[in-house]
Amino acid sequence: MTEKLVIIGNGMAPGRMLEHLFEQAPGRFAVTIFNAEPRVNYDRIMLSPVLSGEKTYEDIIIHGDAWYETHGVTLHRGDRIVSIDRTNRSVTSQNGVTAAYDRLVIATGSNPFIIPVPGKDLPGVVAYRDLDDVGAMLAAAEMGGDAIVIGGGLLGLEAAAGLKARGMNVTVLHVMPSLMERQLDPAAGYLLQKALEDRGIKVICKANTRAILGDGKVEAVELDDGRRLPASIVVMAVGIRPNVQLAREAGLAVNRGIVVDDGMLTSDGHIMALGECAEVGGQVYGLVAPLYEMARIAASHLSGDKTPAFVHADTPTKLKVTGIDLYSLGDFSEGPDREEIVLRDASAGIYKRLVLKDNHIIGTVLYGETSDGAWFNDLKKKQVDISGMRDTLIFGQAYQGGAPLDPMAAVAALPDDAEICGCNGVCKGKITSTITGKGLTSLDEVRAHTKASASCGSCTGLVEQLMALTLGDKYNPAAVTPMCTCTDLGHDDVRRLIKAKGLKSIPAVMQELEWKTSCGCAKCRPALNYYLVCDWPDEYADDYQSRFINERVHANIQKDGTYSVVPRMWGGVTNAKELRAIADVVDKFQIPMVKVTGGQRIDLLGVEKEDLPAVWADLGQAGFISGQAYAKGLRTVKTCVGSDWCRFGTQDSTGLGIRIEKFMWGSWTPAKLKLAVSGCPRNCAEATCKDIGVVCVESGFEIHFAGAAGLDIKGTDVLGLVKTEDEALEVIVGLTQMYREQARYLERIYKWAKRIGHDEIRRQVLQDTERRKAYYDRFVFSQKFAQVDPWSERVSGKDKHEFKPMASVGYGEAAE
Amino acid sequence: MNWTDIGHIDDIPLRGARCVKTPGFTIAVFRTGENEVFAIENRCPHKAGPLSEGIVHGASVTCPLHNWVISLESGQALGADEGAVQTFDIRNENGALSILIATPMMVAAE
Ligand code: SRM
Ligand SMILES: Cc1cc2nc3c(=O)[nH]c(=O)nc-3n(C[C@H](O)[C@H](O)[C@H](O)COP(=O)(O)OP(=O)(O)OC[C@H]3O[C@@H](n4cnc5c(N)ncnc54)[C@H](O)[C@@H]3O)c2cc1C
Ligand code: SF4
Ligand code: FES
């Protein structure tokens, strides 16, 4: 008979327990979960990357809907349990659902601690615990302004870094004299503070908050010394308290947490507890490694094997802030019976400290260079007597026994039982044997099968080295596709970091983001050049040597090394004077081919490079500017004849197309950008397969986007209907700017939109009018610098060298 | 063989190239980010793309037509592609550049 297992709370601990349980005792329990949060089980640890923009919520889901279905689990989302009836063995929820249990598991996690100061309940004061908190912070970040984070521990600093990455002015208030004092000694705390300050995050230590001020919402924070700091959001991250209220009311033994034995059983034989709410051996825990151990033990006891018992182990702490490496483990307080070994390298920003007792490591603090963490942890766990290697110990494993090892060899030298993934307690042997045994080739597979690197991710580097070691050339580390071989970072990371770190030149990007080549390659340089042009339109000096030849000489190179010249023909409309000028140019320069393009204009093909400036000069005389047929930028705006002539036309589609083209020409975009405006749904301008299209209707303008008709064919989606031409222009420009700021280089609108979601785009540029206006204004600002006709610039002498040979030699002799 | 003056290093943009025309063919003269100069034939071993129009990175150039990467030092195609272009000796005396070319080579192959 299946037993009824009810779980209160759907966090990381019970999620892991169920995985073990379904493996060990499939079908034994009918499982019902109540979760106060209205969602499935997700990786709470990874909220910081979601906050900073490095990940999305979808990326951090541990069990999707399908998982619950497969395992027949009933999940009540957004329904909190309000009472436990131990006599009748049932629980009752806020929504009035009662569920009977044979076995009950309490996994209610923790509550964030809120310091009891006046103003703590004002809107705009948030904790940092779940996805809703992240949502509140992101909403605040969108408005910009000042953020105050109270608490300089792990959570507070991750929140601060995330808010900074989102563009806020961030100040951290910490009551102690140095940051993360529970994990770091003052020296490392100081280095950390400096690193944060270098990123523009203000840190005030010994800061006692007296009150939070504001009228109807947060406006400032007042300190004990009277200082007032402006704030549009206050994040309280000062600690957590096990969430024990329900258990206490049910009369279970409760101390700091719900008291359980080493088999996770509470004082009631039918009820277990695990996770942050449980207290075992007098300790409560706030990192997942011990919670996962609890999960393993609970699952085992539930499935009938009562032998495993929980044993305390220290868990290393790592800070998940990109670019800051920090590792701390065990006990590092000073004492008469302790000795220490310290290594400082100020210029490299490295600090390492080992705390020893009776020739054994009992504590480790590593800052700036943490790759030996696993090794020190191993020595500590195994209680290795280090007297023999005392002199070189601090330099790490690489220096033991002769020549220094490269990082790969150091990993190779780790013993099989060395712990690689702290969160999940996975050792090296388990990873390598699973890779070979199951024929795994990708990081995701290794995560799925071993759980290594599946939680906080800070051991990912080590796991990848192990994969490389085990698989050799077969391993292709494609977790995030790097921009190119010059870096491990993907496009999104690079874009984010350019903004977050205020990087304003290609050398600055390469220096700060640790490019592996001296000056990049033909893949990354054009991308970086675009990102910088887009992000700093007024400050960045375009690097022409980082542009593809077409954009450098403002014409399209042909297979024979000649060029084609496509002048702008606004909206596809021309006249006799323009056509005559084109005809004259064709005659004068003996241009071999004249062709009408698919973009409603005229292409002059086969022009010699040296003739380009002269051809442009003549075209310029007739009023032509470059059609940018070569640009990752605005190409054409195709139009149909519209209401001026066509019997079906509903609006002046030609006029609107010309207006849009005149407004947007010259702008650089991630990939080429093509628009069209049709005067009625017959759609003669083919607006419904363009990057952005407009279909005019009686009631206004239907804006379309994300179409394709090149390598892929895809009809557009409707963004929305607007009433006036002005609105149409604002929406189109807003959408373009959003795309400019977010897409990856060479990513057309339809691909970008698919990646981030059509609804999200609608929300940002259609519904949120304020945000649309902000996008619009930024586009207009950047156009001030972009709308310079490149042809006339070159006719007046710019980049002369491009069009002339440096020298001609040998003609004298040859003429003999 | 003759050393022939072709101009000054400042005539070439940093991480860029210029051409030297001869009756028989065109030579591309490169200046890298490290201020090194190289001279190779302006003709990609793949389909004769003009290498002087490519993007220069390190001591290599990426061909503008189909992205082959050519070593400026050896003239060899790098990576999986196979082929080579002719390289020429180039001299840099305080910025004054000259290249070494055989006179007969300069005559158009008519
Ligand atoms: C000239 C033209 C063909 C013609 O004779 O009509 C043309 C010519 C080229 N197209 Fe195109 N495309 C031309 C209209 C189009 C259209 C039709 C349109 O714009 O309505 C499309 C399909 C719509 C679209 O873009 O989705 C089109 C889809 C492409 C693609 C596929 C893009 C894609 O993301 O799927 C490429 C390849 C690329 O960009 O990587 C391409 C690339 C090229 C290149 C630039 C190839 C190259 O890299 O050298 C050709 C340059 C020839 C030259 O030097 O002039 N061309 N190309 C058209 C110029 C339009 C203009 O006035 O600017
Ligand atoms: C931003 C952040 C970063 C972190 N970083 C790390 C890290 O790098 N490394 C690390 O090891 N740990 C980290 N942690 C800690 C780790 O996330 C927690 O230790 C872990 O999630 C706790 O798991 P749990 O299952 O005990 O509780 P939780 O995951 O908190 O789940 C408890 C769930 O129970 C629900 N609940 C509560 N009461 C009831 C009720 N009465 N009825 C129904 N449902 C209820 C809650 O809504 C919640 O969803 C981090 C935590 C945060 C917030
Ligand atoms: S379809 Fe476009 S890219 Fe292909 S040959 Fe024709 S012009 Fe060139
Ligand atoms: S011609 Fe150079 S890569 Fe094709």
Side-chain angles (χ1 to χ4, degrees):
Chain A
M1 196 191 71
T2 51
E3 294 168 69
K4 291 192 281 291
L5 172 63
V6 172
I7 303 174
I8 308 177
N10 193 34
M12 301 184 68
R16 177 57 62 88
M17 179 191 82
L18 286 177
E19 286 177 18
H20 290 300
L21 190 61
F22 292 143
E23 210 176 285
Q24 286 165 26
R28 170 147 172 191
F29 291 98
V31 181
T32 304
I33 308 177
F34 288 86
N35 197 24
E37 270 186 81
R39 41 187 79 92
V40 293
N41 179 24
Y42 63 94
D43 193 346
R44 196 176 300 287
I45 301 187
M46 294 313 250
L47 285 175
S48 295
V50 173
L51 177 63
S52 68
E54 286 160 81
K55 286 206 161 28
T56 65
Y57 170 61
E58 283 68 35
D59 293 335
I60 67 165
I61 288 175
I62 298 178
H63 297 141
D65 293 320
W67 186 87
Y68 294 92
E69 202 154 302
T70 316
H71 296 284
V73 176
T74 311
L75 172 63
H76 296 277
R77 300 166 213 231
D79 198 6
R80 173 183 300 275
I81 291 297
V82 289
S83 66
I84 303 173
D85 179 347
R86 284 169 56 197
T87 328
N88 294 311
R89 281 199 229 134
S90 71
V91 295
T92 304
S93 78
Q94 205 165 29
N95 295 349
V97 181
T98 297
Y101 62 80
D102 298 309
R103 310 295 294 270
L104 177 68
V105 171
I106 305 180
T108 45
S110 294
N111 289 323
F113 183 64
I114 300 292
I115 43 175
V117 290
K120 68 177 169 48
D121 297 321
L122 281 171
V125 181
V126 299
Y128 191 14
R129 182 71 194 170
D130 60 25
L131 192 69
D132 296 327
D133 298 328
V134 172
M137 287 189 242
L138 289 179
E142 231 160 70
M143 301 297 169
D146 300 284
I148 302 273
V149 176
I150 304 181
L154 185 93
L155 288 191
L157 298 183
E158 289 189 6
L163 289 166
K164 183 73 201 169
R166 295 288 186 166
M168 295 197 84
N169 292 322
V170 182
T171 306
V172 175
L173 303 179
H174 191 49
V175 72
M176 301 304 286
S178 69
L179 294 174
M180 288 184 73
E181 76 288 344
R182 293 201 327 185
Q183 292 90 8
L184 296 182
D185 55 9
Y190 166 78
L191 284 174
L192 175 60
Q193 179 168 345
K194 261 191 53 195
L196 292 167
E197 285 167 351
D198 284 347
R199 288 154 185 251
I201 296 173
K202 280 204 226 78
V203 178
I204 306 181
C205 287
K206 299 192 217 163
N208 239 321
T209 304
R210 182 195 290 166
I212 300 172
L213 311 173
D215 187 6
K217 64 169 179 24
V218 166
E219 283 160 12
V221 169
E222 186 177 81
L223 301 183
D224 260 358
D225 59 13
R227 265 186 288 180
R228 282 188 183 189
L229 310 166
S232 46
I233 183 165
V234 172
V235 181
M236 274 221 210
V238 290
I240 51 172
R241 297 284 179 274
N243 182 0
V244 297
Q245 194 194 352
L246 199 59
R248 183 172 284 142
E249 284 166 5
L252 297 174
V254 170
N255 205 359
R256 264 207 295 164
I258 305 168
V259 178
V260 294
D261 64 11
D262 61 10
M264 300 298 122
L265 203 62
T266 66
S267 55
D268 178 327
H270 293 278
I271 306 181
M272 300 169 91
L274 81 166
E276 285 184 348
C277 63
E279 174 179 326
V280 50
Q283 296 241 27
V284 291
Y285 294 88
L287 290 172
V288 292
L291 310 185
Y292 281 172
E293 182 60 10
M294 294 181 192
R296 191 180 66 84
I297 287 159
S300 173
H301 284 237
L302 278 173
S303 52
D305 175 4
K306 308 229 154 140
T307 37
F310 184 87
V311 201
H312 168 83
D314 285 337
T315 307
T317 305
K318 298 161 194 168
L319 184 68
K320 301 186 299 300
V321 172
T322 313
I324 295 184
D325 291 325
L326 171 165
Y327 180 102
S328 127
L329 176 79
D331 181 356
F332 49 85
S333 51
E334 285 169 33
D337 56 344
R338 289 156 191 215
E339 296 170 90
E340 56 177 19
I341 307 178
V342 175
L343 173 91
R344 285 176 207 271
D345 181 346
S347 61
I350 291 174
Y351 170 82
K352 300 184 184 185
R353 176 161 167 243
L354 295 174
V355 180
L356 309 175
K357 189 174 164 183
D358 305 330
N359 286 323
H360 296 105
I361 297 180
I362 60 167
T364 307
V365 181
L366 305 176
Y367 184 91
E369 215 290 301
T370 55
S371 54
D372 280 311
W375 186 62
F376 290 135
N377 187 8
D378 200 46
L379 296 179
K380 169 174 175 292
K381 215 167 55 186
K382 292 189 186 138
Q383 289 288 297
V384 175
D385 185 323
I386 54 83
S387 15
M389 48 182 162
R390 193 182 186 100
D391 292 346
T392 52
L393 184 64
I394 192 84
F395 299 113
Q397 185 184 19
Y399 285 85
Q400 308 313 315
L405 300 172
D406 66 34
M408 201 63 153
V411 174
L414 282 176
D416 266 354
D417 59 351
E419 184 170 279
I420 300 293
C421 172
C423 292
N424 293 293
V426 190
C427 62
K428 176 182 162 186
K430 160 109 187 185
I431 298 174
T432 47
S433 65
T434 316
I435 294 173
T436 5
K438 299 224 170 190
L440 310 181
T441 52
S442 75
L443 184 61
D444 280 342
E445 286 174 333
V446 173
R447 284 182 177 145
H449 286 281
T450 67
K451 296 272 182 262
S453 145
S455 294
C456 84
S458 53
C459 64
T460 305
L462 277 176
V463 174
E464 286 183 320
Q465 282 172 351
L466 277 179
M467 294 185 68
L469 209 62
T470 319
L471 292 170
D473 290 345
K474 275 186 286 173
Y475 175 53
N476 167 27
V480 191
T481 316
M483 273 179 75
C484 61
T485 50
C486 304
T487 176
D488 294 330
L489 296 168
H491 284 269
D492 297 339
D493 285 329
V494 171
R495 285 214 83 165
R496 186 178 46 75
L497 292 166
I498 285 176
K499 286 295 260 187
K501 293 175 167 247
L503 307 176
K504 297 187 180 169
S505 69
I506 290 179
V509 173
M510 292 183 174
Q511 183 61 33
E512 287 291 319
L513 306 185
E514 299 177 355
W515 239 243
K516 293 186 267 186
T517 49
S518 67
C519 68
C521 71
K523 269 195 185 149
C524 58
R525 288 233 310 271
L528 293 179
N529 191 56
Y530 167 70
Y531 296 153
L532 293 164
V533 166
C534 173
D535 288 346
W536 321 108
D538 52 339
E539 293 173 77
Y540 175 65
D542 203 322
D543 176 22
Y544 270 55
Q545 297 306 340
S546 295
R547 286 193 180 270
F548 182 64
I549 181 66
N550 287 357
E551 290 186 355
R552 200 157 80 223
V553 300
H554 298 277
N556 298 53
I557 195 165
Q558 305 294 310
K559 57 185 278 193
D560 61 356
T562 64
Y563 286 81
S564 74
V565 167
V566 188
R568 261 196 205 287
M569 219 165 241
W570 308 101
V573 177
T574 185
N575 55 42
K577 176 178 158 260
E578 287 185 352
L579 291 173
R580 208 167 279 124
I582 289 180
D584 287 344
V585 166
V586 171
D587 285 345
K588 179 167 165 190
F589 295 94
Q590 298 180 5
I591 292 172
M593 165 100 152
V594 182
K595 181 178 180 307
V596 174
T597 73
Q600 299 187 339
R601 46 201 194 165
I602 291 176
D603 194 354
L604 311 176
L605 295 128
V607 182
E608 294 295 334
K609 190 178 184 191
E610 291 161 64
D611 288 341
L612 285 171
V615 167
W616 296 334
D618 285 7
L619 290 171
Q621 289 285 322
F624 285 113
I625 63 168
S626 168
Q628 271 129 350
Y630 45 79
K632 305 293 174 241
L634 182 84
R635 295 279 181 97
T636 53
V637 182
K638 300 205 325 183
T639 69
C640 71
V641 284
S643 57
D644 273 5
W645 297 93
C646 177
R647 64 201 165 107
F648 295 118
T650 62
Q651 312 276 357
D652 178 12
S653 49
T654 326
L656 177 58
I658 293 173
R659 185 173 165 196
I660 295 172
E661 190 170 356
K662 292 209 157 154
F663 199 89
M664 292 179 56
W665 74 269
S667 56
W668 298 108
T669 44
K672 54 192 171 188
L673 183 66
K674 296 176 177 179
L675 279 67
V677 185
S678 287
C680 84
R682 288 168 195 75
N683 191 21
C684 298
E686 301 168 326
T688 54
C689 63
K690 289 288 171 273
D691 296 294
I692 306 178
V694 180
V695 177
C696 301
V697 289
E698 286 297 345
S699 57
F701 304 83
E702 204 174 70
I703 318 268
H704 288 241
F705 73 124
L711 299 164
D712 290 313
I713 306 238
K714 199 185 146 293
T716 47
D717 260 15
V718 179
L719 185 67
L721 179 79
V722 297
K723 293 216 161 44
T724 64
E725 270 197 12
D726 289 350
E727 276 177 278
L729 187 72
E730 189 176 295
V731 170
I732 289 168
V733 167
L735 168 60
T736 303
Q737 182 65 13
M738 179 180 175
Y739 165 62
R740 295 183 73 223
E741 290 176 11
Q742 297 186 1
R744 300 170 185 164
Y745 190 62
L746 299 185
E747 187 174 49
R748 293 285 288 262
I749 284 198
Y750 72 100
K751 292 194 174 148
W752 163 73
K754 183 168 171 218
R755 193 158 59 73
I756 70 160
H758 288 201
D759 285 339
E760 180 60 22
I761 295 174
R762 263 181 216 112
R763 192 178 70 72
Q764 293 199 22
V765 299
L766 207 71
Q767 288 143 14
D768 186 342
T769 48
E770 225 169 282
R771 195 198 273 239
R772 168 168 83 221
K773 186 76 179 61
Y775 280 131
Y776 178 88
D777 290 343
R778 288 202 289 279
F779 184 86
V780 170
F781 178 71
S782 97
Q783 284 297 79
K784 281 208 278 194
F785 310 94
Q787 282 196 334
V788 181
D789 176 32
W791 287 356
S792 72
E793 268 190 312
R794 274 151 196 82
V795 169
S796 28
K798 189 166 187 211
D799 294 338
K800 264 204 306 280
H801 61 83
E802 277 288 358
F803 305 98
K804 283 206 202 94
M806 181 180 191
S808 297
V809 300
Y811 288 91
E813 295 94 304
E816 279 170 350
Chain B
M1 296 284 251
N2 270 327
W3 284 103
T4 313
D5 291 340
I6 55 167
H8 197 269
I9 187 166
D10 291 340
D11 298 339
I12 312 173
L14 210 56
R15 275 179 259 106
R18 295 288 298 276
C19 290
V20 171
K21 291 214 165 178
T22 78
F25 55 95
T26 304
I27 298 170
V29 183
F30 292 87
R31 176 180 177 194
T32 69
E34 314 268 295
N35 260 318
E36 280 184 292
V37 282
F38 296 98
I40 63 177
E41 191 182 353
N42 190 28
R43 199 186 143 84
C44 178
H46 177 220
K47 291 192 174 171
L51 294 170
S52 60
E53 320 279 42
I55 289 182
V56 181
H57 44 96
S60 319
V61 61
T62 296
C63 177
L65 292 195
H66 319 97
N67 296 328
W68 280 30
V69 179
I70 310 294
S71 159
L72 298 175
E73 282 157 324
S74 67
Q76 294 286 338
L78 300 176
D81 300 314
E82 276 178 34
V85 293
Q86 185 174 2
T87 60
F88 298 89
D89 287 336
I90 181 163
R91 207 160 57 180
N92 175 0
E93 285 163 331
N94 296 322
L97 305 180
S98 45
I99 44 178
L100 190 62
I101 13 179
T103 319
M105 277 182 62
M106 282 193 277
V107 180
E110 270 163 337

